[in-house]
Amino acid sequence: MSTEGRGGPSPTRVLLASLVGTAVEFYDFYIYATAASLVFGPLFFPAASPSAQLLAAYGSFGIAFLARPLGSIVFGHYGDRVGRKSTLVASLLLMGGSTVLIGVLPTYDSIGWLAPLALCLLRFGQGFGLGGEWGGAVLLAVENAPASHRARYGMFPQIGAPVGFIAANGLFLLLGAFLTPAQFQAWGWRLPFLGSAVLVLLGLWVRLKLTETPAFAKAMEEAPPPAVPLAEVVRAYPRQTVGGPSPPSSASPCSISPLPSRWAMAPPPWAMAAPPSWACNWAPSCFWPWASSSPAGGRMSLPPAAC
């Protein structure tokens, strides 16, 4: 049933906002992985060997995984105190701004060591913004869901991740098909970063039409927010806090993100085989949340966690 008649956004709008915003932010996140695999080494990290350049570029890629937990803590704090909508808009702007600035960043040949330093700072901004996006988008979906459909609503941000993944690598695949290697290294790699501005505006257009979630509005009516929400979570739910961020789920993006990025620019059949492999992420992302609404409930999360 639509909630717009009661002054709130419709379920369709809520799910679209959580999916589109997450897809845009993961697109921004993964175009960096692709560019790091292909061009960032020689452009920003001059070294004696191509292998050292590639390792330096991958090192800058990894900075975001250090920033993401910090972003989740900071944006989570203000999301519980100020509101979900404001923090989601801020995370989208931070991610989008960092991405567009990477697209206009001078290389090492132009400004020397300031180029890799600025690149690493902007990559930190990407990770910080994505850290705030993930938890906020899930809350946006789940807190607008009926009690029996929370897992199903919560799957939409997860679906946004492979959408961004496919869009990012697919765009680089097209650029590789239509540009010469010299054109791609000179200016073509910048186009996906600059194009992020359009996608961020789309995400903002969707999210600015939302209101605060019913759960947050009710909590604000009942009592003021705690001074340090994270401390309350750790005190009240210590087991869930420790068990939630499992090492396999946290480590997998570090290993899988750059690999298809290099395959995307390889000759067929690799280039044609990579997109279906990314699309396979959708099946479990849809099945397990749907199955968790069965009488088995939370036990349905054990098989995918074991995998």
Side-chain angles (χ1 to χ4, degrees):
M1 179 182 296
S2 173
T3 60
E4 284 190 307
R6 301 193 299 271
S10 68
T12 301
R13 179 176 294 176
V14 169
L15 297 178
L16 181 65
S18 62
L19 188 150
V20 169
T22 306
V24 170
E25 295 217 25
F26 271 92
Y27 164 86
D28 290 351
F29 195 78
Y30 286 129
I31 57 175
Y32 190 102
T34 310
S37 298
L38 302 173
V39 296
F40 279 176
L43 292 179
F44 291 95
F45 302 97
S49 70
S51 297
Q53 292 176 345
L54 186 61
L55 286 175
Y58 281 163
S60 70
F61 168 76
I63 289 174
F65 291 96
L66 300 177
R68 282 177 66 174
L70 298 177
S72 66
I73 291 172
V74 172
F75 280 103
H77 173 85
Y78 288 103
D80 284 340
R81 291 188 56 83
V82 178
R84 319 306 194 203
K85 176 181 175 180
S86 300
T87 52
L88 280 172
V89 169
S91 70
L92 188 61
L93 287 173
L94 176 59
M95 172 65 91
S98 299
T99 302
V100 173
L101 288 175
I102 291 174
V104 298
L105 188 64
T107 62
Y108 185 90
D109 289 341
S110 300
I111 59 174
W113 63 269
L114 290 175
L117 175 62
L119 183 68
C120 290
L121 289 175
L122 292 173
R123 180 57 177 170
F124 185 91
Q126 282 190 317
F128 199 86
L130 187 60
E133 162 68 25
W134 188 252
V138 173
L139 279 178
L140 175 67
V142 172
E143 290 186 350
N144 278 285
S148 59
H149 287 70
R150 287 174 182 167
R152 298 178 186 181
Y153 274 52
M155 78 182 179
F156 278 83
Q158 178 68 27
I159 295 173
V163 170
F165 200 177
I166 292 174
N169 287 272
L171 180 54
F172 272 96
L173 177 61
L174 292 175
L175 291 174
F178 289 101
L179 299 179
T180 66
Q183 290 173 329
F184 181 81
Q185 183 148 340
W187 53 267
W189 67 269
R190 298 182 183 271
L191 298 180
F193 291 89
L194 298 176
S196 173
V198 178
L199 299 178
V200 169
L201 290 176
L202 172 63
L204 288 175
W205 177 75
V206 173
R207 285 190 169 173
L208 288 174
K209 293 179 176 292
L210 298 175
T211 58
E212 286 297 346
T213 66
F216 180 80
K218 181 179 179 181
M220 292 298 100
E221 291 175 359
E222 293 176 350
V228 184
L230 180 60
E232 293 293 315
V233 171
V234 173
R235 181 188 62 80
Y237 306 100
R239 293 175 57 189
Q240 294 88 334
T241 303
V242 174
S246 62
S249 63
S250 303
S252 59
C254 300
S255 58
I256 67 171
S257 300
L259 298 180
S261 304
R262 295 193 67 82
W263 295 344
M265 302 299 289
W270 288 110
M272 296 301 104
S277 69
W278 307 328
C280 289
N281 189 292
W282 275 319
S285 296
C286 295
F287 172 75
W288 291 111
W290 200 270
S292 68
S293 298
S294 69
R299 293 193 298 275
M300 295 302 296
S301 65
L302 295 178
C307 296

